[in-house]
Amino acid sequence: MPEPERRRPARWRPWLRALHRDIGYVAVGLTFVYALSGLAVNHLADWDPNFVNYEARHQVAVPLPEDDRAAADQVLAALAIDSPPTEVYRSDVRELSILLDGSTLHVDLDSGAVLEDGQRPRLLLRLANWLHLNRGKKAWTYIADGYAVFLLFLAASGLFMLPGRKGLVGRGGLLVLLGIAVPVLYVTLSGGP
């Protein structure tokens, strides 16, 4: 009885694995940026992913000048704030509001108590969100498109990495169908667009 012919392994699989591995390494850094930013912007109702809101209390000497601009200048000098105000106005008879870039000072003219409320940027996350949302940055569009092509290649090449029952014709195929089913079911059950 003749021995059954042994199937020769595909010679292209090692090349596919090497390319998949190297492109995967390049994609990892971009994936971290997009994934963290995606988590951040998915929860806009819960927090501001770009800025940290803060409050601080200060005290300045009184009496302050009756002229609003002169009072604002004295408060800013006492707090060692160099930036000029964008606006100065009376929010109440005895309260002066000084608007600065990124914060507002609420000054009680009788006591000299100052409530500062403002925002500080979340430096790295804000930059990641800026890139992720791609607002008016044509050059970044090409990088984002290249990243999308990398992800498509990784997904497609991953389908053919393993032959047989663990690959696309077996378990892998079922898992691919499961991955496709998740968004389809969500759109169907949620009423979709």
Side-chain angles (χ1 to χ4, degrees):
M1 177 177 230
E3 201 172 300
E5 198 172 302
R6 204 181 241 195
R7 200 170 169 185
R8 288 161 83 194
R11 292 188 177 160
W12 52 268
R13 276 204 173 90
W15 289 101
L16 182 66
R17 280 191 200 97
L19 196 55
H20 182 93
R21 177 197 63 220
D22 292 346
I23 288 177
Y25 282 137
V26 172
V28 163
L30 286 166
T31 301
F32 283 139
V33 170
Y34 274 93
L36 290 172
S37 174
L39 287 169
V41 298
N42 275 348
H43 298 279
L44 289 174
D46 302 321
W47 74 317
D48 185 341
N50 294 315
F51 295 95
V52 175
N53 295 319
Y54 71 91
E55 278 190 1
R57 298 192 182 280
H58 309 281
Q59 184 67 43
V60 295
V62 288
L64 291 166
E66 284 299 316
D67 177 67
D68 292 349
R69 192 59 193 215
D73 290 342
Q74 188 171 323
V75 169
L76 293 173
L79 299 178
I81 296 174
D82 296 334
S83 56
T86 56
E87 191 176 350
V88 175
Y89 64 93
R90 295 269 178 140
S91 43
D92 197 338
V93 177
R94 299 305 299 163
E95 184 178 292
L96 184 67
S97 291
I98 306 168
L99 275 63
L100 302 164
D101 188 27
S103 67
T104 302
L105 302 175
H106 304 280
V107 184
D108 183 317
L109 296 170
D110 292 328
S111 68
V114 179
L115 172 64
E116 176 182 8
D117 62 56
Q119 294 182 322
R120 288 189 194 97
R122 298 180 195 272
L123 193 58
L124 295 177
L125 193 53
R126 184 172 180 224
L127 293 173
N129 294 339
W130 185 74
L131 290 171
H132 190 145
L133 298 174
N134 199 12
R135 293 193 174 129
K137 297 165 294 298
K138 190 168 185 128
W140 186 256
T141 299
Y142 297 120
I143 294 170
D145 288 349
Y147 173 56
V149 169
F150 275 8
L151 291 179
L152 288 170
F153 171 78
L154 291 171
S157 64
L159 294 174
F160 302 102
M161 297 283 281
L162 294 174
R165 291 188 329 227
K166 292 184 181 177
L168 185 58
V169 295
R171 187 176 107 186
L174 293 174
L175 293 172
V176 169
L177 290 174
L178 175 64
I180 292 170
V182 169
V184 170
L185 284 172
Y186 178 80
V187 169
T188 303
L189 296 174
S190 69

